[in-house]
Amino acid sequence: MTSDLRTLYHDVIVDHSKHPRNFRTLEACRKAEGSNPLCGDRLTVYVQIHNGVIRDVSFNGLGCAIAIASASLMTESVKGKTVAEADALFARVQRMVGAPPDAPVHDLGALSALAGVRRFPVRVKCAALPWHALRAAVAAGDEVVTTE
């Protein structure tokens, strides 16, 4: 990854962590709590689904900059997508953050910024947490998921 690309990814993460999008509680929806005991991240993801489409999604809670940025990026990326499309995106993000640090970054738009965590393996769980909570909320609702 080039220095310019690292700077761009860093700027996206900082922006989303300081100014998270969709940081709010939704009523009348499915939800799941996510916990990362190692870092102390604790997020709740809320999702409203109608006819298999994610109509609205948000999150609330406390977490490190990576967890908050990942949740913010995730909510922007899955809103309006079908549940199947969101699940496929989950898989692509998981592969990307779990890849070796020098692996090429396939274009996932703004989500590509999360590729930077692969240089810090302990932070991969921070980036993955909101995605696991989203998956749990979509599947069953009111579930607690953990990165451990």
Side-chain angles (χ1 to χ4, degrees):
M1 191 180 319
T2 68
S3 177
D4 289 342
L5 207 48
R6 270 192 229 118
T7 300
L8 174 64
Y9 290 168
H10 176 265
D11 291 347
V12 169
I13 296 296
V14 169
D15 179 47
H16 277 268
S17 67
K18 288 185 177 182
H19 309 286
R21 282 58 153 188
N22 302 301
F23 188 79
R24 58 188 161 78
T25 302
L26 286 177
E27 300 298 325
C29 64
R30 299 177 190 185
K31 67 179 180 177
E33 184 178 317
S35 173
N36 177 1
L38 186 63
C39 194
D41 304 322
R42 198 162 190 83
L43 303 173
T44 302
V45 173
Y46 305 89
V47 62
Q48 291 176 340
I49 300 170
H50 182 68
N51 291 332
V53 175
I54 297 173
R55 293 289 181 210
D56 204 359
V57 59
S58 68
F59 74 102
N60 212 335
L62 300 171
C64 68
I66 298 295
I68 297 296
S70 181
S72 177
L73 287 159
M74 175 195 73
T75 62
E76 285 195 317
S77 298
V78 301
K79 194 180 292 188
K81 291 200 175 0
T82 67
V83 169
E85 289 170 331
D87 198 50
L89 192 55
F90 167 90
R92 290 182 69 196
V93 168
Q94 292 298 95
R95 280 192 305 273
M96 177 184 67
V97 299
D102 58 348
V105 177
H106 301 288
D107 186 20
L108 287 175
L111 290 170
S112 297
L114 297 173
V117 302
R118 11 192 231 202
R119 293 182 328 198
F120 312 98
V122 72
R123 304 310 297 253
V124 169
K125 290 181 179 185
C126 303
L129 179 64
W131 292 86
H132 285 286
L134 173 68
R135 189 178 238 187
V138 166
D142 287 330
E143 187 175 327
V144 176
V145 295
T146 181
T147 56
E148 296 307 307

